[in-house]
Every structure is written in structure tokens, then in C-alpha cells.
Amino acid sequence: MTICKFSLLPEAPEHKTEIESLLDEAFGLARLAKTSYRLREGERPVEGLSHVAIEPGRGIVGCISFWRIHVGDHGPATLLLGPLAVAGNRRGVGIGRALMNNGIDRARAAGYALVILVGDEPYYGRVGFRKVPRGQLILPGPVDPDRLLFLELQKEAMGTARGLVLPPHRFNQRRLSGLPETR
Ligand SMILES: CC(C)(COP(=O)(O)OP(=O)(O)OC[C@H]1O[C@@H](n2cnc3c(N)ncnc32)[C@H](O)[C@@H]1OP(=O)(O)O)[C@@H](O)C(=O)NCCC(=O)NCCS
């Protein structure tokens, strides 16, 4: 039987190196080319939601980040979840679920309405994520539509989420330049 005791701590700057090696192990460097990374560039993870799992004597064994994003011109307060990763030899003992539930509970309490992510529906479906209806959200790069998932933290939030998904700084640039939100 695997016994694994871990604590969840808010992500802090001193965790960065360990988090990056955990992400290298889980996803490889190809992760940096993914569309979800386009939504994180130039932004910082949301403080108070992004956490690490720490095991005594070993260090960081899991991490999760949340990022503010804009959906269309008047979408609900939305977060992008990810990456979520757990160290290879610590998987299957509930660290991923604990990180997710902790972040989602805090996001709900903070007033966010919607969480989206790109990931495996069989895993995230366990905490209630479902596929985004095809064509409802447009991401700034290619995404497998079967992996684009959402979780409503407020009732019917997905119904008002429509259009281009952008990180805050790009949304603001676009708004200042007067470009329509669907391009
Ligand atoms: C996915 C991941 C975060 C799960 O973390 P974890 O701590 O092992 O997850 P939990 O302990 O909470 O849950 C384990 C359960 O989820 C299942 N599971 C894990 N990954 C799964 C997947 N991709 N699809 C479906 N089920 C999955 C396990 O089989 C296990 O099932 P069981 O409870 O019936 O035994 C971890 O496996 C990981 O880091 N993988 C590589 C990175 C990744 O794929 N991240 C998610 C995409 S952003």
C-alpha cells in the first residue's frame, strides 16, 4: 500500500524551479508550443488559487495553476485551469484531485463563474467538467475540441461564454485598437 502525506501550499516564486521540472517530467518541452500556453504568456497565475502539493522530505509532488482569461466582449469571470501535474511515482493517491478541488472551491468562493481547460475528459469529468459545445469558444491556436472542457461555478455561466478567448493583456490591446472580438 502506498502511504503519501502531502500538504497544499499557495504557489510562491521560490517554487518555480521545482514546478518547471515537474512539468518537464509530466508533459515534456513540447508543452510550451500548446495553445493553452498562448493564454498564459505575459500573465501571472492567480494568487490564492494556484497551489503546490508538498511531501515532507521530498518537496513538490504536484502543482496546479489558474489564470484569468476573457471570453468574448462580455463573458463571465473565467479562469483557465492548468497545467495540473503530479510526480510520476506519486500518482493515483488523490493529489491531483485534492489540488483541483482546493482550487475550484477557492475560485467559487472568490466569485469566478466559469473554469475552462484543455485536457482529458475521462479524468476531469470526475469533478464535473464537460466538453465545450463545438464552436462556442475560439482559442488563439489549434485545440482538439474533444479536449476543450468547462465547469460552471455559477449557474448557466457557459451560456453567456461565447467567442474569442484571450489573456487579459491581449484582450485590453484589442479593445483599445477597436478590433471586433470574433477575429
Ligand atoms: C492526470 C494527473 C494530474 C492525475 O493526478 P493523480 O494525483 O494521479 O490523480 P488522482 O489520484 O486524483 O486520481 C487518480 C485516478 O484518476 C485516473 N486518471 C489519471 N489520469 C487519467 C486520465 N488521463 N484519464 C482518465 N483517468 C485518469 C487514475 O486512473 C485514477 O483512477 P482510480 O481513482 O479509479 O484509481 C497525473 O496523472 C499527471 O500528472 N499526469 C500527467 C500530466 C497530465 O496528463 N495532466 C492533466 C492534463 S492538464
Side-chain angles (χ1 to χ4, degrees):
M1 187 174 76
T2 308
I3 295 173
C4 177
K5 288 193 175 170
F6 59 91
S7 319
L8 303 187
L9 291 184
E11 181 184 323
E14 63 267 27
H15 298 145
K16 191 169 168 43
T17 309
E18 272 187 271
I19 289 175
E20 287 305 311
S21 25
L22 183 58
L23 296 178
D24 286 349
E25 181 204 326
F27 298 105
L29 290 177
R31 74 182 192 278
L32 301 172
K34 289 183 177 168
T35 295
S36 40
Y37 271 78
R38 302 289 80 74
L39 290 168
R40 298 175 191 135
E41 272 167 3
E43 304 291 338
R44 295 177 58 80
V46 181
E47 280 182 31
L49 304 184
S50 305
H51 277 68
V52 292
I54 297 196
E55 198 180 301
R58 166 153 179 160
I60 292 178
V61 291
C63 62
I64 192 168
S65 300
F66 291 83
W67 309 76
R68 282 185 202 90
I69 49 172
H70 282 270
V71 180
D73 271 345
H74 305 288
T78 307
L79 293 165
L80 174 74
L81 185 162
L84 165 65
V86 173
N89 58 1
R90 291 297 186 275
R91 290 181 191 163
V93 295
I95 297 174
R97 183 181 282 250
L99 283 164
M100 250 195 303
N101 286 337
N102 172 66
I104 287 167
D105 288 349
R106 288 170 184 272
R108 188 180 284 110
Y112 288 97
L114 187 69
V115 184
I116 68 165
L117 63 81
V118 182
D120 293 344
E121 201 262 346
Y123 181 68
Y124 291 104
R126 291 169 172 229
V127 295
F129 280 88
R130 290 184 285 140
K131 285 181 196 170
V132 169
R134 285 197 181 221
Q136 190 165 331
L137 301 183
I138 303 161
L139 271 72
V143 169
D144 176 350
D146 286 332
R147 293 172 54 78
L148 181 58
L149 311 178
F150 75 94
L151 177 72
E152 288 174 327
L153 305 184
Q154 291 176 12
K155 218 173 159 193
E156 292 168 17
M158 191 63 209
T160 58
R162 204 167 286 276
L164 190 57
V165 179
L166 287 176
H169 76 277
R170 286 197 53 202
F171 175 82
N172 291 331
Q173 282 167 358
R174 259 183 122 77
R175 200 162 50 173
L176 288 173
S177 70
L179 283 172
E181 60 98 1
T182 48
R183 288 177 47 210

